[in-house]
Amino acid sequence: MRTPTPTTITMNNNNKRNRFYPKFDFFDSLPDDLLISILSKLVSSASSPSHFINALITCKRFNHLGRHSLVLSKASQRTLGISAKNWSESAHRFLKQCVDAGNVEACYILGMIRFYCLQNRGSGASLMAKAAISSYAPALYSLAVIQFNGSGGSKNDKDLRAGVALCARAAFLGHVDALRELGHCLQDGYGVCQNIMEGRRFLVQANARELAAVLSSPSSAASRSLVTCNPHAIHRTAVGSSSDCPLLSDFGCNVPAPEAHPASRFMAEWFALRGGAPGPGLRLCSHVGCGRPETRRHEFRRCSVCGIVNYCSRACQALDWKLQHKAECAPLEIWPENDGDDVEVDGDGGILNENEEDDDEDDDDDVIEES
């Protein structure tokens, strides 16, 4: 009789154990509600879309539950921050699923992409309006910019009063750019009765909110070390000289440059990949954190001093002036060519295009620089 070896005894014991104690995956016993809750936490805190995608491809169950409406409705701004170079039909479909799940952030991002990049004006504006109805401040402000410029239509489609009303609603919700825009509108009497003191109050409030946002950011310790204050200093930081930007020059403060919204980053990258121009004769907003393109020629206002840079809004002009343009703006003896169109210089140094000249001063193709 053959004597069993230790290896044979071990194998026989394992077979007996497997016969009476079959393999059991405790993951399968977890209820769907618990996994949906876990995935919702993940999608709301992920720092990039890839973090959520990696969870989806872990197993079929994760892939199925990760597409649940309760999960997609919690997707954060960073999770939805798709890169333009990675844009595809599947990325479009993912954003659409988030929109259908009621994600307001996805409504705004997909709305901006469709309106400005895919040139689907009606669908894009509808999605932004859906986000605005939910009191999403960036959507309200973007719709205000569209009304101010008549984007997607002709110059006659401008509605300054509607733009001011949307801007006021976004400002009430604490949107910094909307506060700036509303402040400049009040100071200039643009679409609203002029009130210089009230406009100045909104500009100061925008600066204060901007500083508060920096100090309350997750990396607040690092942010505080970057904030400097010199009430008597006049900031003339050269472009690229440091990572600090004089956004609060009214108070003599330097703070780190604000992080651009994923929709703005997408638009800037989208047009950069396509040669840096949205189309023949069209321009991008010169503020690096914006990314908005013109939807028709001469839609944006140009700098009234140098005539080189152009902006979609007064808020972008004010920010870019403090960020970089103040250091490089200089009067030109000869204005740059305007694609063959004749231009006419007005009394204040701004320019008017003859084809778009209007009786109202708010239609001038210029922006007055801050002093």
Side-chain angles (χ1 to χ4, degrees):
M1 183 176 178
R2 185 177 178 183
T3 304
T5 62
T7 303
T8 305
I9 295 174
T10 302
M11 291 179 62
N12 291 335
N13 291 336
N14 288 337
N15 291 334
K16 291 179 181 179
R17 186 180 299 110
N18 292 336
R19 189 182 309 152
F20 294 103
Y21 303 99
K23 291 183 178 179
F24 187 79
D25 190 347
F26 288 98
F27 173 73
D28 293 333
S29 67
L30 294 176
D32 287 351
D33 291 348
L34 178 59
L35 292 179
I36 288 175
S37 177
I38 294 173
L39 289 171
S40 298
K41 291 287 186 181
L42 171 64
V43 77
S44 64
S45 59
S47 59
S48 68
S50 60
H51 290 171
F52 180 58
I53 299 301
N54 289 337
L56 293 183
I57 63 178
T58 300
C59 63
K60 291 183 178 179
R61 194 179 181 198
F62 267 22
N63 189 282
H64 172 68
L65 295 178
R67 299 175 185 273
H68 195 280
S69 60
L70 290 177
V71 176
L72 297 180
S73 65
K74 302 293 184 181
S76 66
Q77 190 179 103
R78 292 179 180 273
T79 304
L80 299 171
I82 298 172
S83 174
K85 64 181 179 181
N86 297 327
W87 181 252
S88 62
E89 185 59 35
S90 59
H92 195 169
R93 187 165 54 251
F94 170 69
L95 286 177
K96 183 63 170 62
Q97 289 174 343
C98 293
V99 169
D100 294 338
N103 190 302
V104 178
E105 192 77 56
C107 287
Y108 173 65
I109 293 176
L110 185 57
M112 292 285 283
I113 292 173
R114 285 185 177 179
F115 188 90
Y116 288 109
C117 300
L118 305 182
Q119 298 185 13
N120 190 342
R121 312 294 187 198
S123 177
S126 177
L127 286 173
M128 283 188 276
K130 184 177 179 181
I133 291 173
S134 299
S135 296
Y136 186 64
L140 287 163
Y141 175 68
S142 291
L143 289 175
V145 173
I146 290 174
Q147 293 294 332
F148 282 136
N149 296 324
S151 301
S154 66
K155 190 184 68 170
N156 295 328
D157 293 322
K158 292 182 179 181
D159 192 338
L160 303 187
R161 290 188 177 181
V164 170
L166 289 165
C167 213
R169 177 60 181 166
F172 174 77
L173 295 172
H175 194 270
V176 174
D177 287 343
L179 284 166
R180 276 203 181 89
E181 187 74 23
L182 189 59
H184 286 291
C185 286
L186 286 166
Q187 281 192 327
D188 302 338
Y190 187 74
V192 66
C193 294
Q194 187 176 28
N195 190 329
I196 296 177
M197 293 302 296
E198 188 69 9
R200 181 63 180 171
R201 185 178 70 84
F202 277 107
L203 293 177
V204 171
Q205 187 177 353
N207 282 341
R209 282 186 175 272
E210 191 170 56
L211 180 59
V214 171
L215 297 179
S216 63
S217 63
S219 56
S220 58
S223 300
R224 290 190 183 95
S225 65
L226 292 174
V227 176
T228 59
C229 181
N230 184 0
H232 304 291
I234 300 178
H235 298 283
R236 296 187 179 275
T237 307
V239 178
S241 62
S242 72
S243 60
D244 295 350
C245 303
L247 295 175
L248 296 173
S249 59
D250 292 336
F251 299 138
C253 296
N254 283 346
V255 299
E259 183 179 1
H261 192 280
S264 297
R265 291 200 304 268
F266 183 97
M267 292 190 297
E269 184 179 352
W270 176 274
F271 293 111
L273 293 172
R274 287 157 178 77
L282 302 180
R283 308 166 293 186
L284 290 173
C285 179
S286 297
H287 175 40
V288 293
C290 178
R292 287 183 179 85
E294 288 184 319
T295 60
R296 69 176 186 279
R297 296 184 64 185
H298 313 301
E299 178 181 335
F300 293 166
R301 296 171 181 79
R302 294 198 294 183
C303 174
S304 62
V305 178
C306 66
I308 296 176
V309 296
N310 52 91
Y311 304 101
C312 67
S313 63
R314 284 164 166 75
C316 280
Q317 178 268 328
L319 276 173
D320 193 61
W321 175 253
K322 295 180 181 182
L323 280 167
Q324 61 180 17
H325 192 54
K326 184 177 182 180
E328 59 188 19
C329 184
L332 294 181
E333 295 182 2
I334 301 178
W335 280 69
E337 294 294 332
N338 198 24
D339 300 320
D341 292 329
D342 295 330
V343 296
E344 165 188 345
V345 181
D346 68 8
D348 296 327
I351 68 167
L352 301 173
N353 184 273
E354 288 186 351
N355 297 326
E356 297 194 342
E357 188 171 352
D358 192 278
D359 294 333
D360 299 328
E361 64 179 0
D362 50 50
D363 290 329
D364 295 354
D365 188 21
D366 69 335
V367 169
I368 306 301
E369 295 287 6
E370 285 191 356
S371 58

